Amino acid sequence: MAKEPQTPLDDELARQQREADMRDQESEERLIDGELEGLINDEAPLEGSFADPEADVLAAQVNELEQNLAEAKDQALRAAAEAQNVRRRAEQEADKARKFALEKFVKELLPVVDSLEKALESMQDDASEAHREGVSMTLNMQLGVLNKFGVESVEPQGEPFDPQVHEAMAMVPNPELEPNTVMEVMQKGYLLNGRLVRPAMVVVSQKAN
């Protein structure tokens, strides 16, 4: 088939098409070179944008729930700490009651110990060996029972006077001893698990005139 000859109108249309193609190619090149980067990175809000009320309500509810959770955790920690303190105090009170439940009973037994000691000291040579041995054994048994339950004697002969565990019955000048030294123990003191049950009654030295 023979090719139809082009008219001037066809030439003009072809020229316009070529120019349009060139413009499209230039636009693509500008896009590649980053001319739209400013538009892409523009963080300014678009005109006509508006906040979402439902999102704000949800955010407020989340904040409230977080605060409630933090308060609940704090209350739980406080309650646990208080329970631990109560348990510790109860254990301490129980331990103290166990250690010192015999205090009144020990006080009642001490005069018996005093009597046995005085009886043993006052025995003369005319007392039989069996008699002395019997009193000594009874005294030792009594002291052994007291020691078993945490009772210990306070015999501060020659020690410095301590008002926490000693009771001064008299002050006697004595140039051979330092002032406030226990010269004589008139009656022994006793401790129950470290607590004073009865102070030692003593005579204390003082500076000679």
Side-chain angles (χ1 to χ4, degrees), residues 21-209:
D21 292 341
M22 292 177 63
R23 286 195 298 270
D24 291 341
Q25 184 177 359
E26 290 176 357
S27 297
E28 292 177 358
E29 291 176 353
R30 286 197 297 269
L31 288 174
I32 294 173
D33 291 339
E35 290 186 359
L36 296 180
E37 183 179 355
L39 294 176
I40 295 174
N41 294 331
D42 190 1
E43 297 180 355
L46 297 176
E47 294 183 0
S49 62
F50 57 93
D52 187 353
E54 184 177 356
D56 293 340
V57 172
L58 291 176
Q61 292 177 348
V62 170
N63 290 334
E64 183 178 359
L65 290 174
E66 289 178 347
Q67 292 179 359
N68 292 339
L69 179 61
E71 292 177 358
K73 287 182 177 179
D74 182 68
Q75 292 177 358
L77 290 175
R78 291 177 182 273
E82 181 62 24
Q84 185 176 3
N85 291 335
V86 171
R87 183 170 60 254
R88 186 182 298 112
R89 286 194 295 268
E91 291 174 353
Q92 291 175 350
E93 291 297 329
D95 185 61
K96 184 183 296 183
R98 183 171 57 254
K99 284 184 177 180
F100 305 114
L102 296 176
E103 183 173 355
K104 184 176 181 180
F105 181 67
V106 169
K107 286 182 179 180
E108 296 295 330
L109 285 180
L110 293 182
V112 178
V113 175
D114 295 337
S115 297
L116 291 172
E117 289 177 339
K118 290 179 180 178
L120 191 60
E121 292 174 357
S122 63
M123 285 184 177
Q124 304 297 327
D125 294 337
D126 55 353
S128 66
E129 184 66 24
H131 192 188
R132 283 196 295 269
E133 185 176 352
V135 174
S136 178
M137 289 180 61
T138 303
L139 175 60
N140 290 334
M141 289 177 62
Q142 185 75 62
L143 293 175
V145 172
L146 292 175
N147 290 334
K148 181 179 179 180
F149 289 95
V151 178
E152 55 183 326
S153 62
V154 179
E155 301 181 68
Q157 182 77 34
E159 298 178 1
F161 176 74
D162 184 357
Q164 298 295 326
V165 291
H166 306 155
E167 182 176 347
M169 305 303 295
M171 300 283 291
V172 177
N174 190 329
E176 298 180 359
L177 295 175
E178 291 290 333
N180 293 322
T181 299
V182 176
M183 297 174 51
E184 180 183 355
V185 178
M186 301 177 64
Q187 186 181 66
K188 291 190 297 185
Y190 287 91
L191 303 172
L192 174 59
N193 292 314
R195 176 191 285 184
L196 184 66
V197 176
R198 189 181 75 181
M201 298 182 181
V202 298
V203 177
V204 182
S205 66
Q206 66 180 9
K207 187 176 181 180
N209 296 329

